[in-house]
């Protein structure tokens, strides 16, 4: 901030050789990185160095303060164009500095300027940012004999800060689970606002059709593009199409310059835009789209800006490919569910009819010998098939919510003992002992049919995957507001690398299939669906040998979805 301080600057403590030849001073000043300008008490430029000439840009060696009443004052160096340079000075908000606000004028008035920030650059070009120090120069008697200004180019530092800010804003825009067009617009706004590009577009590619489609557009407040985005662009056409075809960023410093594609120049000039930059969005595997920005000024390519944009594009690419994968997975699940429902319904009706007819035929006492055996086999297999179809339909219905739970007070102890009793013959046939440890009554709110199905699945698996003569433990207990059911066996176990897939549909462990144990891979997904619909959790613990399944169910039933 500029400070008002009219006391003369303190003399340096270091000795200054009074007889230092002028060439040394000139060489010193001329070679400083900081721009330096000195003026006399009337504001006439006495001296400015090379860095100052560069700051004033476009090769103009110029004094940049000359009062109207002294037209000769700017002629100290060649090529002076005072009005042009003064007109290039801007406040950080972009507004022009008026005569009285010029830093040298302020310094002459005795104001001590420290860390003042100005923007400097010719019209139509992106200005550079300078930190300005300045003060009056006084003689021994304290009389002002001129003023001194130094300017340090801090454009890169400011840009780096804006880059960080921009990257953060882009990350935020991409973490929200917004639709692609919303997230795209947020990214364009994040970049456009921070890098002062008033117009941006996001294009997404359809690689099969070789076509780009508009996905998002952002226009800075105060800018009004007149044309809508084209509804498609073939690969190679327009700036985005060119980027796709070349698979590399493109930067047009001045779209009005000769050689620029006429359609790009025409579009940009209609919007009052001068520069254009576009970067490809891609993952290592595929091309995804293009990010395009337009600037209101002529702007030379900057490698740091391109690097930033490429980083943003990579971020957008990851977001879009993740989104595509999610959409695809959702679509696949829908398709699979539709398929299962279709097949299930189509199979269930004929199977029901086969089962009822075979059962009817089997009641015929005259049926004997091989015919009876054949019919019993048809009946058995039709029943097995019907059980699979029922499991498939139950699973799809429970997962999608199409099947409602019939909730009411249930005694889980009773359900567990009924299930154990029903499985006792199978267990006995394999010499497997089932030990039950349960309270006399354990009431909770649930669907009795589904909870029985759950108990059957877990206990049947424990029996099925136990070796002959093995033990199965069924423990039921109350733990606070939960009922905990644990089914433990000392059987096959599940190979370590296959454990993450244990609740996936149709998963069958290699240990089970290698021993020829039959199954469908539907029981555990079904068990999990039932548990989750009751608001509970199911977990697997792996022992050596054996497996243990623990189900926790809230005694009050599924809190948030009553009736389901
Ligand atoms: P399945 O009809 O094949 O038993 P499940 O969905 O019930 O289908 O189980 C999926 C797979 O998980 C089984 O094929 C089996 O490999 C494994 N599995 C389930 N429970 C046990 C268990 N208690 N012990 C060992 N493996 C089990």
């Amino acid at each position: 901030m500029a400070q008002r301080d009219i006391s003369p600057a303190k003399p340096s403590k270091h000795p200054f050789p009074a007889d230092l030849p002028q060439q040394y001073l000139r060489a010193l000043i001329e070679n400083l990185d900081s721009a330096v300008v000195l003026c006399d008490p009337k504001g006439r430029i006495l001296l400015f160095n090379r860095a100052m000439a560069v700051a004033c840009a476009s090769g103009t060696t110029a004094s940049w303060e000359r009062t109207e009443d002294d037209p000769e004052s700017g002629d100290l160096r060649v090529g002076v164009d005072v009005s042009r340079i003064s007109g290039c000075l801007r406040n950080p908000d972009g507004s022009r500095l008026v005569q009285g606000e010029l830093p040298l004028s302020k310094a002459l008035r005795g104001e001590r300027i420290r860390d003042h920030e100005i923007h400097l650059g010719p019209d139509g070009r992106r200005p550079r940012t300078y930190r300005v120090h300045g003060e009056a120069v006084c003689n021994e008697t304290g009389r002002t004999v001129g003023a001194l200004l130094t300017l340090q180019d801090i454009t890169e530092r400011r840009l780096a800060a804006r880059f960080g800010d921009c990257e953060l804003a882009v990350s935020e825009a991409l973490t929200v689970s917004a639709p692609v067009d919303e997230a795209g617009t947020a990214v364009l706004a994040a970049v456009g606002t921070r890098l002062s590009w008033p117009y941006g577009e996001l294009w997404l590619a359809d690689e099969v059709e070789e076509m780009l489609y508009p996905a998002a557009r952002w226009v800075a407040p105060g800018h009004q593009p007149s044309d809508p985005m084209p509804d498609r662009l073939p690969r190679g056409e327009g700036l985005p199409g060119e980027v796709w075809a070349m698979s590399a960023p493109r930067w047009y410093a001045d779209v009005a310059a000769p050689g620029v594609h006429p359609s790009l120049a025409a579009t940009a000039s209609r919007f009052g835009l001068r520069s254009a930059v576009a970067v490809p969005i891609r993952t290592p595997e595929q091309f995804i789209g293009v990010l395009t920005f337009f600037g209101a000024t002529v702007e030379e390519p900057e490698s740091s800006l391109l690097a930033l944009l490429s980083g943003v594009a990579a971020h957008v690419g990851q977001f879009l490919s993740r989104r595509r994968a999610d959409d695809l997975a959702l679509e696949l699940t829908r398709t699979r569910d539709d398929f299962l429902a279709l097949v299930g319904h189509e199979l269930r009706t004929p199977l029901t009819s086969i089962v009822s007819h075979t059962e009817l035929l089997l009641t015929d006492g005259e049926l004997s010998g091989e015919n009876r055996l054949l019919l019993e086999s048809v009946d058995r297999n039709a029943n097995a098939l019907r059980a699979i179809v029922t499991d498939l339909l139950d699973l799809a219905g429970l997962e999608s919510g199409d099947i409602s739970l019939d909730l009411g007070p249930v005694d889980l102890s009773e359900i567990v003992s009924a299930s154990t009793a029903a499985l006792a013959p199978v267990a006995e046939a394999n010499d497997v002992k089932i030990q039950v440890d349960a309270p006399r009554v354990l009431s909770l709110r649930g669907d009795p049919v589904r909870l029985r199905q759950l108990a059957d699945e877990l206990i049947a698996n424990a029996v099925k995957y136990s070796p002959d003569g093995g033990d199965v433990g069924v423990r039921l207990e109350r733990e606070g507001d939960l009922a905990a059911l644990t089914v433990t066996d000392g059987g096959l176990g599940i190979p370590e690398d296959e454990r993450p897939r244990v609740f996936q549909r149709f998963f069958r462990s290699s240990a089970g299939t290698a021993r020829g144990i039959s199954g469908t891979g539907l029981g555990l997904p079904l068990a999990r669906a039932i548990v989750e619909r009751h608001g509970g959790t199911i977990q697997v613990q792996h022992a050596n040998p054996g497996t243990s399944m623990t189900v926790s169910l809230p005694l009050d039933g599924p809190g948030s979805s009553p009736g389901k």
Side-chain angles (χ1 to χ4, degrees), residues 7 30 61 115 148 159-160 164 178 212 236 240 246 264 282 292 324 360 428 486 493 506 513 521 537 544 554 556 559:
S7 61
E30 200 65 357
T61 51
D115 297 326
L148 164 78
L159 219 51
L212 282 162
M246 295 179 66
L264 174 63
R282 60 180 160 221
T292 308
R324 279 184 183 178
L360 193 67
E428 274 162 27
T486 307
F506 309 117
T513 46
T537 57
N544 198 8
D556 291 341

Side-chain angles (χ1 to χ4, degrees), residues 461-462 464-465 489 493-494 507-509 519-525 547:
N461 272 354
K464 186 162 70 166
Y465 296 105
D489 64 67
I494 298 161
F507 164 74
R508 309 230 41 234
S509 85
T520 58
L522 289 170
L524 287 184
T547 308

Side-chain angles (χ1 to χ4, degrees), residues 423 455-466 489 523-524 549:
L423 288 163
D456 284 352
E457 295 292 355
L458 299 186
I459 302 170
N461 272 354
V463 170
K464 186 162 70 166
Y465 296 105
S466 284
D489 64 67
L524 287 184
M549 299 272 175

Side-chain angles (χ1 to χ4, degrees), residues 26-40:
R26 180 174 280 274
L28 171 72
I29 294 170
E30 200 65 357
N31 286 292
L32 286 175
D33 272 346
S34 292
V36 174
V37 60
L38 268 167
C39 72
D40 71 6

Side-chain angles (χ1 to χ4, degrees), residues 107-129:
L108 261 184
R109 288 202 303 269
E111 200 173 308
R112 191 152 182 248
I113 297 166
R114 284 288 173 273
D115 297 326
H116 198 108
E117 207 168 295
I118 59 162
H119 285 183
L120 178 58
D123 267 347
R125 290 191 176 255
R126 187 187 272 262
R128 297 190 72 80
T129 309

